[in-house]
Amino acid sequence: MPSHLSADHPAAQPPGRGSVDALISQARRLKGDVDAVRRDAQEDGSDPQGRWQRALCDLALHQLNDLDAHLAQLRDGPSVPAPAGPAPAEQSAPTAPRRGSLLSRVGSAEWNLLTDEASWSGELYQILGRDPATPPLTLDELPSLVLDEDRPKLTSMVTDCLVDARPIDGEFRMLHTDGSVRTVHMMGEPVLDTDGSTASMWAVLRDVSELRRSQRVVSETRDSLQRHRHRAQTEHRLAVELQEAVLPPWRGSLRLPQQGPETLDLAAHYLPSSTSALIGGNWYDALQLADGDMLLSVGDLTGHGVAATSGMATLLGAVRGMAMAGTGPGQLLSWLNQLLDATVQPALGSTVCCRYRPETRTLTWAQAGHPAPLLFRDGTGRRLSAPDGVLLGATPGAVYEQAEEPLEAGDLLVLHTDGLMPGQEDSTAAVNRLLDLAPRFDEAGTAQDCVRLVVEEFGGTERADDACVLIAKLTS
């Protein structure tokens, strides 16, 4: 068996999964061999040589169990960094220098009950933090080294061994003279006299502080990861519920306005990110205003999760409120920019806001750092010339210009966020992918059919951000 298993050995290198599996198999085969030797040593419990051989086998089995657990953590568990802040008592207090030898952390002792004498190995003095020049402690004195909360445990183990002849196998924590707290594992058995009474007790003790500290860090890290995963799942659920509550719950096409000869056939679709579980701040909206005009808008607020979704809901509510009050798209974006600039948590947003008047078939629109709407007519498409407008929240007091576009019956408008075409944003090549759908749009019967074409074209694309598309088709 190797003489040391220290993880900080200079030649130690992180093995691969296959190498770790091989080491686990070797360790378990070795455990079987050691256990067989241990069973042979149990045949003659009165032989001192056999007793110590059995003790060493027990110790080796414990070490192999620890090694098996460490290898399993290395293979299956996440790498665990050392804690950055103050640690529990075992870490905060100074500790003795670590030594690579396994035997340097294992000591032995025997207490003679007939003579009240004790015999300790030199290693045990180091483990228990005692001066080798001082006499070994008796069984009555040994609990004085142990923490108050662990003394009943040690007393119970020793009593069971001496009175009921039970073997000892347990741990306790003790306070060194240098102030450090160490965890000690103790194994022992009684030695019976010829009349069956207990004559003495022997034990092997080892310092398992580093092992227990490592196990505690792994456990705390695993618990922290579980709490983080639970928080992320909760945040995702809240973001989804908030988004579903805010965005129009369309199931199929929506025709607006509800009265009048001129109608808009509307459909929209939200495309989630393929690389992130968090919901972003994308939105689409269509609203019939009090004067009969139609409000169409899409937009995107930076960020993900509940913060971005709640910010999106705030902006969308402001857009609806100002539009219902009769505010034009350009002025609406100017006030929206002031609102975003005044928020406690800085954020940037992009949007395109359109106001359609059915009576004159006129589209008045403004944009804030957002892709311009695409207009499709008679089987061809083009991008509308965008009026000036910077991102929302980028510049205080920004002015947003408006543009007007006359529309005709049968025209198709496509509004989208830039996440629809990841990596290309509003480049000519990206827009051309949508414009190339013009013949198929012309053959489609409804706005919902056109949305399905867009999803077929872009829905399978790996996107780092979510996106949405809103399509409006003029009918007469």
Side-chain angles (χ1 to χ4, degrees):
M1 187 169 65
S3 63
H4 57 82
L5 302 171
S6 177
D8 57 354
H9 190 276
Q13 297 292 335
R17 184 181 180 91
S19 301
V20 174
D21 286 336
L23 289 173
I24 291 176
S25 299
Q26 293 175 11
R28 291 177 179 174
R29 284 197 298 269
L30 185 56
K31 282 169 57 179
D33 296 340
V34 173
D35 191 47
V37 175
R38 179 183 181 279
R39 288 195 297 270
D40 292 340
Q42 285 180 335
E43 294 180 357
D44 188 4
S46 60
D47 180 21
Q49 182 66 28
R51 184 173 71 246
W52 287 106
Q53 184 180 19
R54 186 169 65 254
L56 291 176
C57 288
D58 287 337
L59 177 63
L61 287 174
H62 275 280
Q63 295 285 357
L64 288 170
N65 284 331
D66 293 342
L67 176 62
D68 193 9
H70 276 302
L71 290 173
Q73 290 177 2
L74 179 62
R75 180 192 61 187
D76 302 326
S79 57
V80 180
E90 285 189 15
Q91 290 179 312
S92 59
T95 58
R98 296 179 61 183
R99 296 170 57 187
S101 172
L102 174 64
L103 295 180
S104 69
R105 298 192 298 272
V106 178
S108 61
E110 186 165 3
W111 289 274
N112 191 312
L113 304 182
L114 302 179
T115 63
D116 202 27
E117 294 177 344
S119 174
W120 285 9
S121 68
E123 292 81 10
L124 186 57
Y125 278 93
Q126 178 182 343
I127 292 172
L128 300 183
R130 301 286 296 177
D131 184 353
T134 61
L137 299 180
T138 65
L139 285 178
D140 293 333
E141 297 170 332
L142 186 62
S144 64
L145 301 179
V146 181
L147 297 184
D148 292 344
E149 54 267 36
D150 288 357
R151 286 179 186 174
K153 183 192 304 183
L154 175 61
T155 301
S156 177
M157 289 191 301
V158 173
T159 301
D160 290 343
C161 180
L162 298 181
V163 176
D164 299 328
R166 296 179 184 176
I168 292 177
D169 190 347
E171 294 181 4
F172 57 85
R173 292 167 299 165
M174 55 167 298
L175 182 65
H176 274 203
T177 55
D178 62 4
S180 65
V181 176
R182 309 297 294 178
T183 301
V184 177
H185 179 249
M186 181 177 183
M187 296 187 306
E189 288 185 0
V191 178
L192 303 182
D193 205 348
T194 55
D195 60 357
S197 62
T198 303
S200 63
M201 190 189 83
W202 61 267
V204 291
L205 299 93
R206 61 177 181 141
D207 187 339
V208 294
S209 303
E210 299 299 330
L211 173 63
R212 297 298 174 254
R213 180 181 295 114
S214 173
Q215 291 173 337
R216 184 172 61 252
V217 170
V218 169
S219 177
E220 291 173 352
T221 302
R222 184 179 295 112
D223 292 343
S224 176
L225 290 174
Q226 291 175 348
R227 289 193 298 270
H228 178 75
R229 187 179 298 112
H230 178 71
R231 286 196 301 269
Q233 291 172 346
T234 301
E235 180 178 351
H236 177 73
R237 185 180 67 255
L238 291 175
V240 170
E241 292 175 354
L242 180 57
Q243 183 191 62
E244 291 178 346
V246 173
L247 296 186
W250 295 343
R251 298 295 182 269
S253 297
L254 178 66
R255 292 186 177 273
L256 292 173
Q258 297 177 358
Q259 296 179 352
E262 298 291 339
T263 62
L264 286 180
D265 181 16
L266 297 168
H269 190 79
Y270 173 82
L271 293 90
S273 166
S274 57
T275 60
S276 174
L278 296 179
I279 301 297
N282 283 255
W283 83 81
Y284 59 84
D285 192 33
L287 179 67
Q288 182 177 356
L289 304 178
D291 59 2
D293 288 0
M294 297 295 305
L295 172 70
L296 306 176
S297 69
V298 296
D300 183 14
L301 187 67
T302 55
H304 292 85
V306 174
T309 311
S310 60
M312 174 268 290
T314 300
L315 288 184
L316 184 53
V319 169
R320 287 185 162 195
M322 288 187 284
M324 288 295 290
T327 307
Q331 183 62 59
L332 189 152
L333 294 188
S334 296
W335 288 345
L336 207 62
N337 179 65
Q338 294 181 26
L339 174 64
L340 196 58
D341 185 62
T343 56
V344 176
Q345 294 182 345
L348 296 175
S350 69
T351 183
V352 58
C353 183
C354 305
R355 190 181 186 107
Y356 173 66
R357 176 154 296 183
E359 296 176 356
T360 60
R361 288 180 179 169
T362 302
L363 184 75
T364 303
W365 68 285
Q367 63 84 28
H370 199 86
L374 303 181
L375 175 61
F376 294 84
R377 179 180 296 165
D378 298 329
T380 61
R382 64 182 176 89
R383 179 171 55 180
L384 300 184
S385 299
D388 290 339
V390 299
L391 286 171
L392 299 175
T395 304
V399 176
Y400 296 86
E401 297 183 356
Q402 291 185 171
E404 288 191 358
E405 186 71 29
L407 301 182
E408 299 177 3
D411 282 354
L412 187 77
L413 278 174
V414 176
L415 281 64
H416 65 87
T417 59
D418 54 15
L420 184 65
M421 296 163 284
Q424 296 178 332
E425 296 187 351
D426 200 24
S427 67
T428 302
V431 172
N432 284 341
R433 290 185 59 185
L434 274 174
L435 296 179
D436 288 342
L437 296 176
R440 299 171 66 184
F441 284 158
D442 193 48
E443 296 174 357
T446 65
Q448 187 64 47
D449 293 333
C450 296
V451 165
R452 292 193 186 98
L453 292 175
V454 174
V455 174
E456 290 175 3
E457 180 72 17
F458 299 101
T461 305
E462 291 289 331
R463 67 187 73 259
D465 198 2
D466 49 356
C468 61
V469 59
L470 170 66
I471 293 182
K473 185 173 184 180
L474 276 67
T475 61
S476 58

